[in-house]
Amino acid sequence: MPVTNLRQAKILATLATLLSLGVSSARADVVEFKFGGQIASDIRYRLGGEEIPPENSSTAPFPSQQRLLKYGFSRNENLIKAQITLTVANHVKAVADVDFIWYGYSDVNDIDAATLHEKVDPYRLEAHAAYIDVYHLIPKVDLRIGRQVVNWGTADKFNPTNNLNTLDLSDPLLFGRALANNMIRADFNPWRDLILTVVWVPIFRPAQLPRTAPLAVTEAQRPPPVQEDDIRAQLGQLALAMPPTQINVFTQQPETSIENSQVGVRFGGRLLGQDLSLSYYHGRFGIPVPAWVEQGPQGIVNVGVMWPKEDIIGFDWAGSLSKLGGIGYWVEGAVTFPQKVTYGIYNDSTSGHDPVTFTYDAAEKTHNLHVGFPLAQLPTVIPSTPFFKLTAGLDYSFNKYLYGNFQYVHGFIDEFGAGKALYARPGAHIGDPARTEARIGEYLVVGADLKLFNDALLFRLFGVFKLPEVGDPEPKFTAVIFPQIAWAVWDATELSVGAFVFLGDRDTKFGDPASGASELFCKAKFTY
Amino acid sequence: MMKILWVLGLLSGSALAAPTAAEILSNVDRGLNAFKDGTFDSKLLVHDGGSAREYGFTTFQKGSEKRLVRFNSPGDVRGMGVLLENKETMYVFLPGFQRIRRMGMHAKNQNFMGSDFSYDDIAQTAFSPSYTAELAPEEPSSYVLELKVKPKIETDFPRMKMWVDKSNWSPTKMEYYDASGKKVKTQVRDGYHQDGPGHFQPTRVVVTDHRRGDHVSEIVFTGSKIDSGLGDDLFTQRALLR
């Protein structure tokens, strides 16, 4: 290299170093760092329910000691949460929120596993946030990019318009906490609280299902998941003729294509002191539904599940009624236009892969079954008929000690599709007729908090009661009751005990073993 | 102009003819709101026997109605925010849920973080709109006012007694009475210092709730910044989410 060029290069390097030092020191002046988190312990004991996985199951995807017994410890977790927030003036904020969780169960299935830390003491990571906020990207516009939760709706926990993030249904105590996902959110705030929010979610993340969920598709005595009564009866008789010896469940995840990304738009503001919004969502329902089944040789049955597409138009409305002591109210509703899901049935028990289809006999008003006739009708799992969900509620603080909350819910968080929900009756065998209810049910959610000793002691009692269907010839009681005592023993330190009690026969919403089982819990947490 | 009025007000309190009860209350209100915007760093101490639970928070205020309270400590409430846009509109942001909730104004019935302060105590920056005043026998350094709630105003405290410092028009003590005439709360403000033109800021506010066995809570102000030019966009749901 010529001397002159070398000198120039040195000068440039020096300038670059000085500039970079100057820039970094100028930025360092305004970076604010916050660190926090939580240390928690969660022990639960199960009371009844079904054993998961069944005792004769040869494989389990989770630590072997984590089998759910009818009566036994169902959770033995310890958690360390770390939250980091970096703020650069009022322009940028970066947030990370990660849980490190030890299951508290060993997974030592052989002597080699007993030598591995990750088998003796299994753990997992959960990232609730990893995003960057850019404020005032252009005037009146904020941008948030990364793993995040976007919560929409004004109702309490039961939000028909809140669909961008799927739910964590693995823990009933979370009441369906949203699962963070990678997304891009832009908020345009042209005037006061008038906000237009646009969200794009590139890749769908399915809901986290409860450990008991596979029962909904792996129990042979359950009715075939089709809406047409006579087809269901015929499929039941086929299953009776060829009883399953093993049911495997496969998933059909959406491809990571642009067509499968999700979008949401919400426009909200305040009118005459009341909060109003309209929203639209295009994406998928987080809980999978059965879409096909293969009847293989030796009674081996393979079931396929998929996550149906949906378009949702919603509204919410909330405010406070000053003439009624400032009582709070909210109304939130949404119409869902679901993808039609049919049930592909294949007979692989002999040599081929024969589709089982049906044709409708208008004269007999029944369906005729065909094998190897692919152009005929497939039975319906989810009809394309739009359906409506609604939550309307009130809350009130009677005094500084007592708070009450009351909600009417049309459509529970896991309910999807018009038509009927199907249950196997207690003691049912393969092929027995199902007990049916409207798929979109009616519920009352009632709760109260009693706070004593400067809010240090909290008595909480919440209940979800399913209302009987009008005209149901055999209405059945089913409910969930959630009593809890929480004691803030000192700053940021809370101990709590309680129960989550499922009530009802197994052919009801909350009595169904796939919904879960009653648990006692004891938790401690310290937040720093 | 405000400064001139303020000086006149001070003079009227010290050298000129004795002010009327309404003038004193008006001067109190003017003093409490003698800023366009303010940022106040505070600690809330909820006493319990010999110990106290402590919450750290910052209050941003613009005008007499808009307030944003952001909690800094302890960890279980860090990041939580309460936005009071006006007397009828309150939002709470819970960072753990990433959710903003519109609160019914019944929430004002609750204590502020389990303390003896109500949300009304925290929000109230003017007394004249809600109360009429009458003079009680004055004390050497204080005017004493008897306040009665105006018709159609809803409050848990239809009657109050207020001690006003003659030197700066700041309320130093307030007694709150219920509808039966029973004294239910006492609030004492001390350590006043001037932190802006016409604005005097107490260092400590102590509330004793006589209904709870003279239970005591206090707010200690650790810093204040007046008229720093807070924008309206700080008092929006969008800002609450940040």
Side-chain angles (χ1 to χ4, degrees), chain A residues 89-161:
Chain A
N90 292 320
H91 306 298
V92 175
K93 186 164 88 171
V95 176
D97 179 347
V98 180
D99 289 353
F100 196 94
I101 299 161
W102 286 266
Y103 283 100
Y105 297 97
S106 292
D107 191 18
V108 181
N109 290 318
D110 54 45
I111 193 64
D112 286 332
T115 67
L116 298 170
H117 285 285
E118 62 270 28
K119 292 289 185 182
V120 175
D121 192 13
Y123 52 83
R124 71 179 190 274
L125 277 176
E126 284 182 25
H128 301 296
Y131 62 79
I132 297 163
D133 276 348
V134 182
Y135 305 130
H136 312 294
L137 180 71
I138 52 176
K140 301 181 185 298
V141 173
D142 291 349
L143 195 67
R144 178 172 290 181
I145 301 179
R147 193 179 182 96
Q148 59 184 292
V149 170
V150 178
N151 271 317
W152 285 352
T154 50
D156 193 4
K157 302 285 185 192
F158 301 91
N159 298 102
T161 65

Coordinates of all heavy atoms in Angstrom, one line a residue, chain A residues 89-161:
Chain A
A89 N -34.1 7.4 25.6 CA -34.9 8.6 25.7 C -36.4 8.2 25.5 O -36.9 7.2 26.1 CB -34.5 9.6 24.6
N90 N -37.1 9.0 24.8 CA -38.6 8.6 24.5 C -38.8 8.1 23.2 O -39.9 8.2 22.6 CB -39.4 9.9 24.7 CG -39.4 10.3 26.2 OD1 -39.5 9.5 27.1 ND2 -39.4 11.6 26.4
H91 N -37.7 7.5 22.6 CA -37.8 7.1 21.2 C -37.9 5.6 21.0 O -38.6 5.1 20.1 CB -36.6 7.6 20.4 CG -36.5 9.1 20.5 ND1 -37.5 10.0 20.1 CD2 -35.5 9.9 21.1 CE1 -37.1 11.2 20.4 NE2 -35.9 11.2 21.0
V92 N -37.1 4.8 21.8 CA -37.0 3.4 21.6 C -37.0 2.7 22.9 O -36.5 3.1 23.9 CB -35.6 3.1 20.8 CG1 -35.4 1.6 20.7 CG2 -35.6 3.7 19.5
K93 N -37.7 1.5 22.9 CA -37.7 0.7 24.1 C -37.5 -0.8 23.6 O -38.2 -1.2 22.6 CB -39.0 0.8 24.8 CG -39.0 0.1 26.2 CD -40.1 0.6 27.1 CE -41.3 -0.2 26.9 NZ -42.4 0.1 27.9
A94 N -36.7 -1.5 24.2 CA -36.5 -2.9 23.9 C -36.8 -3.7 25.2 O -36.4 -3.4 26.3 CB -35.1 -3.2 23.5
V95 N -37.7 -4.7 25.0 CA -38.1 -5.5 26.2 C -37.9 -7.0 26.0 O -38.2 -7.5 24.9 CB -39.7 -5.2 26.4 CG1 -40.2 -6.0 27.5 CG2 -39.9 -3.7 26.7
A96 N -37.4 -7.6 27.0 CA -37.3 -9.1 27.0 C -37.9 -9.6 28.3 O -37.7 -9.0 29.3 CB -35.8 -9.5 26.9
D97 N -38.6 -10.7 28.2 CA -39.3 -11.3 29.3 C -39.3 -12.8 29.1 O -40.0 -13.3 28.3 CB -40.7 -10.8 29.4 CG -41.5 -11.3 30.6 OD1 -41.1 -12.3 31.2 OD2 -42.6 -10.8 30.9
V98 N -38.5 -13.5 29.9 CA -38.3 -14.9 29.7 C -38.5 -15.6 31.1 O -38.0 -15.2 32.1 CB -36.8 -15.2 29.2 CG1 -36.6 -16.7 29.0 CG2 -36.6 -14.4 27.9
D99 N -39.2 -16.7 31.0 CA -39.3 -17.6 32.2 C -38.4 -18.8 32.0 O -38.4 -19.4 30.9 CB -40.8 -18.1 32.3 CG -41.7 -17.0 32.7 OD1 -41.2 -15.9 33.1 OD2 -42.9 -17.2 32.7
F100 N -37.7 -19.2 33.0 CA -37.0 -20.4 33.1 C -37.7 -21.3 34.1 O -37.8 -20.9 35.2 CB -35.5 -20.1 33.5 CG -34.6 -21.3 33.2 CD1 -33.9 -21.3 32.0 CD2 -34.5 -22.3 34.0 CE1 -33.0 -22.3 31.7 CE2 -33.6 -23.3 33.8 CZ -32.9 -23.4 32.6
I101 N -38.2 -22.5 33.6 CA -39.0 -23.3 34.5 C -38.5 -24.7 34.6 O -38.2 -25.3 33.6 CB -40.5 -23.3 33.9 CG1 -41.0 -21.9 33.8 CG2 -41.4 -24.2 34.8 CD1 -42.2 -21.8 32.9
W102 N -38.4 -25.1 35.9 CA -38.0 -26.5 36.1 C -39.3 -27.3 36.4 O -40.1 -26.9 37.2 CB -37.1 -26.6 37.4 CG -35.7 -26.1 37.1 CD1 -34.7 -26.9 36.7 CD2 -35.2 -24.8 37.2 NE1 -33.6 -26.1 36.6 CE2 -33.9 -24.8 36.8 CE3 -35.8 -23.6 37.5 CZ2 -33.1 -23.7 36.8 CZ3 -35.1 -22.4 37.5 CH2 -33.7 -22.5 37.1
Y103 N -39.5 -28.4 35.6 CA -40.7 -29.2 35.8 C -40.9 -29.7 37.2 O -42.0 -29.9 37.7 CB -40.7 -30.4 34.8 CG -41.0 -30.0 33.4 CD1 -40.0 -29.9 32.5 CD2 -42.3 -29.9 33.0 CE1 -40.3 -29.6 31.1 CE2 -42.6 -29.6 31.7 CZ -41.6 -29.4 30.7 OH -41.9 -29.1 29.4
G104 N -39.7 -30.1 37.8 CA -39.8 -30.8 39.1 C -40.1 -32.2 39.0 O -40.5 -32.9 40.0
Y105 N -40.0 -32.8 37.8 CA -40.2 -34.2 37.6 C -38.9 -34.8 36.9 O -38.4 -34.1 36.1 CB -41.4 -34.5 36.6 CG -42.7 -34.1 37.1 CD1 -43.2 -32.9 36.7 CD2 -43.4 -34.9 38.0 CE1 -44.5 -32.5 37.1 CE2 -44.7 -34.5 38.4 CZ -45.2 -33.3 38.0 OH -46.5 -32.9 38.4
S106 N -38.6 -36.0 37.3 CA -37.4 -36.6 36.6 C -37.9 -37.4 35.4 O -39.1 -37.8 35.3 CB -36.7 -37.5 37.5 OG -36.0 -36.7 38.5
D107 N -37.0 -37.6 34.5 CA -37.4 -38.4 33.2 C -36.4 -39.5 33.0 O -35.7 -39.6 32.0 CB -37.4 -37.4 32.1 CG -38.0 -38.0 30.8 OD1 -38.7 -39.0 31.0 OD2 -37.7 -37.5 29.7
V108 N -36.2 -40.2 34.1 CA -35.1 -41.2 34.1 C -35.7 -42.6 33.7 O -36.3 -43.3 34.6 CB -34.4 -41.3 35.5 CG1 -33.3 -42.3 35.5 CG2 -33.9 -39.9 35.9
N109 N -35.7 -42.9 32.4 CA -36.3 -44.1 32.0 C -35.3 -45.3 31.9 O -35.7 -46.4 31.7 CB -36.9 -43.9 30.6 CG -38.2 -43.1 30.7 OD1 -39.0 -43.2 31.6 ND2 -38.3 -42.1 29.8
D110 N -34.0 -45.0 31.9 CA -33.0 -46.0 31.9 C -31.8 -45.5 32.7 O -31.7 -44.3 33.1 CB -32.6 -46.4 30.5 CG -32.2 -45.2 29.6 OD1 -31.4 -44.4 30.1 OD2 -32.7 -45.1 28.5
I111 N -30.8 -46.3 32.9 CA -29.7 -45.9 33.7 C -28.8 -44.8 33.1 O -28.2 -44.0 33.8 CB -28.8 -47.2 34.1 CG1 -27.8 -46.9 35.2 CG2 -28.1 -47.7 32.8 CD1 -28.5 -46.6 36.5
D112 N -28.8 -44.8 31.7 CA -28.0 -43.7 31.1 C -28.7 -42.4 31.4 O -28.0 -41.4 31.6 CB -28.0 -44.0 29.6 CG -27.0 -45.1 29.2 OD1 -26.1 -45.3 30.0 OD2 -27.2 -45.8 28.2
A113 N -30.0 -42.3 31.3 CA -30.7 -41.1 31.6 C -30.4 -40.6 33.0 O -30.4 -39.4 33.2 CB -32.2 -41.3 31.4
A114 N -30.2 -41.5 33.9 CA -29.9 -41.1 35.3 C -28.6 -40.4 35.4 O -28.3 -39.8 36.5 CB -29.9 -42.4 36.2
T115 N -27.8 -40.4 34.4 CA -26.5 -39.7 34.4 C -26.6 -38.3 33.8 O -25.6 -37.6 33.8 CB -25.4 -40.5 33.7 OG1 -25.7 -40.5 32.3 CG2 -25.3 -41.9 34.2
L116 N -27.7 -38.0 33.2 CA -27.9 -36.7 32.5 C -28.7 -35.7 33.3 O -29.8 -36.0 33.7 CB -28.6 -37.0 31.1 CG -27.8 -37.9 30.2 CD1 -28.7 -38.3 29.0 CD2 -26.5 -37.2 29.7
H117 N -28.1 -34.5 33.5 CA -28.8 -33.5 34.2 C -30.2 -33.2 33.7 O -31.1 -33.0 34.4 CB -27.9 -32.2 34.2 CG -26.8 -32.3 35.1 ND1 -26.9 -32.2 36.5 CD2 -25.5 -32.4 34.9 CE1 -25.7 -32.3 37.1 NE2 -24.8 -32.4 36.1
E118 N -30.3 -33.0 32.3 CA -31.5 -32.6 31.7 C -32.6 -33.7 31.8 O -33.8 -33.4 31.6 CB -31.3 -32.2 30.2 CG -30.8 -33.3 29.3 CD -29.3 -33.3 29.3 OE1 -28.6 -33.0 30.2 OE2 -28.8 -33.8 28.2
K119 N -32.2 -34.9 32.1 CA -33.2 -36.0 32.3 C -33.6 -36.1 33.8 O -34.7 -36.4 34.2 CB -32.7 -37.3 31.9 CG -32.5 -37.5 30.4 CD -33.8 -37.5 29.7 CE -33.7 -37.8 28.2 NZ -35.0 -37.8 27.5
V120 N -32.6 -35.9 34.6 CA -32.8 -36.0 36.1 C -33.6 -34.7 36.6 O -34.5 -34.8 37.4 CB -31.5 -36.1 36.9 CG1 -31.8 -36.0 38.4 CG2 -30.8 -37.4 36.5
D121 N -33.4 -33.6 35.9 CA -34.0 -32.3 36.3 C -34.5 -31.6 35.1 O -33.9 -30.5 34.7 CB -33.1 -31.5 37.2 CG -33.8 -30.4 37.9 OD1 -35.0 -30.4 37.9 OD2 -33.1 -29.5 38.4
P122 N -35.5 -32.0 34.4 CA -35.9 -31.4 33.1 C -36.4 -29.9 33.3 O -36.9 -29.6 34.4 CB -37.1 -32.3 32.6 CG -36.9 -33.5 33.3 CD -36.3 -33.2 34.7
Y123 N -36.3 -29.1 32.3 CA -36.6 -27.7 32.4 C -37.1 -27.2 31.0 O -37.0 -27.9 30.0 CB -35.4 -26.9 32.8 CG -34.2 -27.1 31.9 CD1 -34.0 -26.5 30.7 CD2 -33.2 -28.0 32.4 CE1 -32.9 -26.8 29.9 CE2 -32.1 -28.3 31.6 CZ -32.0 -27.7 30.3 OH -30.9 -28.0 29.6
R124 N -37.6 -26.1 31.0 CA -38.1 -25.5 29.7 C -37.9 -23.9 29.8 O -37.9 -23.4 30.9 CB -39.5 -25.8 29.4 CG -40.6 -25.2 30.2 CD -42.0 -25.6 29.8 NE -43.0 -24.8 30.4 CZ -43.5 -25.1 31.6 NH1 -43.1 -26.2 32.3 NH2 -44.5 -24.4 32.1
L125 N -37.9 -23.3 28.7 CA -37.9 -21.8 28.6 C -39.2 -21.3 28.0 O -39.7 -22.0 27.1 CB -36.8 -21.3 27.7 CG -35.4 -21.2 28.3 CD1 -34.4 -20.9 27.2 CD2 -35.3 -20.2 29.4
E126 N -39.7 -20.2 28.5 CA -40.9 -19.6 27.8 C -40.6 -18.1 27.7 O -40.3 -17.4 28.6 CB -42.1 -19.7 28.7 CG -42.8 -21.1 28.7 CD -44.0 -21.1 29.6 OE1 -44.7 -20.1 29.8 OE2 -44.3 -22.2 30.0
A127 N -40.7 -17.6 26.4 CA -40.4 -16.2 26.2 C -41.7 -15.5 26.0 O -42.5 -15.8 25.1 CB -39.5 -16.0 24.9
H128 N -42.0 -14.6 26.9 CA -43.3 -13.8 26.9 C -43.2 -12.5 26.1 O -44.1 -12.0 25.6 CB -43.8 -13.5 28.3 CG -44.1 -14.8 29.1 ND1 -45.0 -15.7 28.7 CD2 -43.5 -15.3 30.2 CE1 -45.0 -16.7 29.6 NE2 -44.1 -16.5 30.5
A129 N -41.9 -12.1 26.0 CA -41.7 -10.8 25.2 C -40.3 -10.8 24.7 O -39.4 -11.2 25.4 CB -42.1 -9.6 26.0
A130 N -40.1 -10.3 23.5 CA -38.8 -10.0 23.0 C -39.1 -9.0 21.8 O -39.1 -9.4 20.7 CB -38.1 -11.2 22.5
Y131 N -39.3 -7.8 22.2 CA -39.7 -6.8 21.1 C -39.0 -5.5 21.3 O -38.4 -5.2 22.3 CB -41.3 -6.6 21.2 CG -41.8 -6.0 22.4 CD1 -41.7 -4.7 22.7 CD2 -42.5 -6.8 23.3 CE1 -42.3 -4.1 23.8 CE2 -43.0 -6.3 24.5 CZ -42.9 -4.9 24.7 OH -43.4 -4.4 25.9
I132 N -39.1 -4.7 20.2 CA -38.6 -3.4 20.1 C -39.7 -2.4 19.8 O -40.4 -2.6 18.8 CB -37.4 -3.3 19.1 CG1 -36.3 -4.3 19.5 CG2 -36.9 -1.9 19.0 CD1 -35.3 -4.6 18.4
D133 N -39.8 -1.4 20.6 CA -40.7 -0.3 20.3 C -40.0 0.9 19.7 O -38.9 1.2 20.2 CB -41.3 0.2 21.6 CG -42.5 -0.6 22.1 OD1 -43.0 -1.4 21.3 OD2 -42.9 -0.4 23.3
V134 N -40.6 1.4 18.7 CA -40.0 2.7 18.1 C -41.2 3.7 18.1 O -42.2 3.5 17.5 CB -39.5 2.5 16.6 CG1 -39.0 3.8 16.1 CG2 -38.5 1.4 16.6
Y135 N -41.0 4.7 19.0 CA -42.1 5.7 19.2 C -41.9 6.8 18.2 O -40.7 7.2 17.9 CB -42.0 6.2 20.6 CG -42.2 5.1 21.6 CD1 -41.3 5.1 22.7 CD2 -43.1 4.2 21.5 CE1 -41.4 4.1 23.7 CE2 -43.2 3.2 22.5 CZ -42.3 3.1 23.5 OH -42.4 2.1 24.5
H136 N -43.0 7.4 17.7 CA -43.0 8.5 16.8 C -42.1 8.2 15.5 O -41.3 9.0 15.1 CB -42.4 9.8 17.5 CG -43.1 10.0 18.8 ND1 -44.4 10.4 18.9 CD2 -42.6 10.0 20.0 CE1 -44.7 10.5 20.2 NE2 -43.6 10.3 20.9
L137 N -42.3 7.0 15.0 CA -41.5 6.6 13.8 C -41.7 7.6 12.7 O -40.8 8.1 12.1 CB -42.0 5.2 13.4 CG -41.3 4.7 12.1 CD1 -39.9 4.3 12.4 CD2 -42.1 3.5 11.6
I138 N -43.0 7.9 12.5 CA -43.4 9.1 11.8 C -44.4 9.8 12.8 O -44.9 9.1 13.7 CB -44.0 8.8 10.4 CG1 -45.1 7.8 10.5 CG2 -42.9 8.3 9.5 CD1 -45.9 7.6 9.2
P139 N -44.7 11.0 12.6 CA -45.6 11.7 13.6 C -46.8 10.9 13.9 O -47.5 10.4 12.9 CB -45.9 13.0 12.9 CG -44.7 13.3 12.1 CD -44.2 12.0 11.6
K140 N -47.1 10.7 15.1 CA -48.3 10.0 15.7 C -48.3 8.5 15.4 O -49.4 7.9 15.5 CB -49.6 10.7 15.1 CG -49.7 12.1 15.4 CD -51.0 12.7 14.9 CE -51.0 14.2 15.1 NZ -51.0 14.6 16.5
V141 N -47.2 7.9 15.0 CA -47.2 6.5 14.7 C -46.1 5.8 15.6 O -45.0 6.3 15.6 CB -46.9 6.2 13.3 CG1 -46.7 4.7 13.0 CG2 -48.1 6.7 12.4
D142 N -46.5 4.8 16.3 CA -45.6 3.9 17.1 C -45.5 2.6 16.4 O -46.5 2.1 15.9 CB -46.1 3.7 18.5 CG -46.0 5.0 19.4 OD1 -45.4 6.0 18.9 OD2 -46.6 5.0 20.5
L143 N -44.4 1.9 16.5 CA -44.2 0.6 15.9 C -43.6 -0.3 17.0 O -42.8 0.1 17.8 CB -43.2 0.8 14.8 CG -43.1 -0.4 13.8 CD1 -44.3 -0.5 13.0 CD2 -41.9 -0.1 12.9
R144 N -44.2 -1.5 17.0 CA -43.6 -2.6 17.9 C -43.3 -3.8 17.1 O -44.3 -4.3 16.4 CB -44.6 -2.9 19.0 CG -44.1 -4.0 20.0 CD -45.0 -4.1 21.2 NE -44.9 -3.0 22.1 CZ -45.5 -2.9 23.2 NH1 -46.4 -3.8 23.6 NH2 -45.3 -1.8 24.0
I145 N -42.1 -4.2 17.1 CA -41.7 -5.4 16.3 C -41.1 -6.5 17.2 O -40.2 -6.1 18.0 CB -40.7 -5.0 15.2 CG1 -41.3 -4.0 14.3 CG2 -40.3 -6.2 14.4 CD1 -40.3 -3.5 13.2
G146 N -41.6 -7.7 17.0 CA -41.0 -8.8 17.8 C -42.0 -9.6 18.5 O -43.2 -9.5 18.2
R147 N -41.5 -10.5 19.4 CA -42.4 -11.4 20.1 C -43.2 -10.6 21.1 O -42.6 -10.0 22.0 CB -41.6 -12.4 20.8 CG -42.3 -13.6 21.3 CD -41.3 -14.6 21.9 NE -41.9 -15.8 22.4 CZ -42.0 -16.9 21.7 NH1 -41.4 -17.0 20.5 NH2 -42.5 -18.0 22.3
Q148 N -44.5 -10.6 21.0 CA -45.3 -9.7 21.8 C -46.8 -10.3 21.9 O -47.1 -11.3 21.2 CB -45.4 -8.4 21.2 CG -46.0 -8.4 19.8 CD -45.9 -7.0 19.1 OE1 -46.6 -6.1 19.6 NE2 -45.1 -6.8 18.1
V149 N -47.5 -9.7 22.8 CA -48.9 -10.0 23.0 C -49.7 -8.8 22.6 O -49.4 -7.7 23.1 CB -49.3 -10.4 24.4 CG1 -50.7 -10.5 24.6 CG2 -48.6 -11.8 24.7
V150 N -50.7 -8.9 21.8 CA -51.6 -7.8 21.4 C -53.0 -8.2 22.0 O -53.6 -9.1 21.4 CB -51.7 -7.5 19.9 CG1 -52.6 -6.4 19.6 CG2 -50.3 -7.2 19.4
N151 N -53.4 -7.5 23.0 CA -54.7 -7.8 23.6 C -55.8 -6.9 23.2 O -55.6 -5.6 23.4 CB -54.6 -7.8 25.2 CG -54.2 -9.1 25.8 OD1 -54.6 -10.1 25.4 ND2 -53.2 -9.0 26.7
W152 N -56.8 -7.4 22.6 CA -57.9 -6.5 22.2 C -59.2 -6.9 23.0 O -59.3 -8.0 23.5 CB -58.2 -6.7 20.7 CG -57.2 -6.0 19.8 CD1 -56.2 -5.1 20.2 CD2 -57.1 -6.1 18.4 NE1 -55.5 -4.7 19.2 CE2 -56.0 -5.3 18.0 CE3 -57.8 -6.8 17.4 CZ2 -55.6 -5.1 16.7 CZ3 -57.4 -6.6 16.1 CH2 -56.3 -5.8 15.8
G153 N -60.1 -5.9 23.1 CA -61.3 -6.2 23.8 C -61.4 -5.6 25.2 O -60.4 -5.3 25.8
T154 N -62.6 -5.3 25.6 CA -62.9 -4.7 26.9 C -63.5 -5.6 27.9 O -63.5 -5.2 29.1 CB -63.8 -3.5 26.7 OG1 -65.0 -4.0 26.0 CG2 -63.2 -2.4 25.9
A155 N -63.9 -6.8 27.5 CA -64.4 -7.7 28.5 C -63.3 -8.3 29.4 O -62.1 -8.1 29.1 CB -65.2 -8.8 27.8
D156 N -63.7 -9.0 30.4 CA -62.8 -9.5 31.4 C -62.5 -11.0 31.1 O -63.4 -11.8 31.3 CB -63.4 -9.3 32.8 CG -62.3 -9.6 33.9 OD1 -61.1 -9.8 33.5 OD2 -62.7 -9.6 35.1
K157 N -61.4 -11.3 30.5 CA -60.9 -12.6 30.2 C -61.6 -13.3 29.0 O -61.0 -14.0 28.3 CB -61.1 -13.6 31.4 CG -60.3 -13.1 32.7 CD -58.9 -13.3 32.5 CE -58.2 -13.0 33.8 NZ -56.7 -12.9 33.7
F158 N -62.9 -13.1 28.8 CA -63.6 -13.7 27.7 C -63.8 -12.7 26.6 O -64.8 -11.9 26.6 CB -64.9 -14.2 28.2 CG -64.8 -15.2 29.4 CD1 -64.8 -14.8 30.7 CD2 -64.6 -16.6 29.1 CE1 -64.6 -15.7 31.7 CE2 -64.4 -17.5 30.1 CZ -64.4 -17.1 31.5
N159 N -62.9 -12.7 25.7 CA -62.8 -11.6 24.7 C -63.0 -12.2 23.3 O -62.0 -12.7 22.7 CB -61.5 -10.9 24.8 CG -61.2 -10.2 26.1 OD1 -60.5 -10.7 26.9 ND2 -61.9 -9.1 26.3
P160 N -64.2 -12.1 22.7 CA -64.4 -12.6 21.4 C -63.6 -11.9 20.3 O -63.3 -12.4 19.2 CB -65.9 -12.3 21.1 CG -66.5 -12.1 22.5 CD -65.4 -11.6 23.3
T161 N -63.1 -10.6 20.6 CA -62.4 -9.9 19.6 C -60.8 -10.1 19.7 O -60.1 -9.6 18.9 CB -62.6 -8.4 19.6 OG1 -62.2 -7.9 20.9 CG2 -64.1 -8.1 19.5

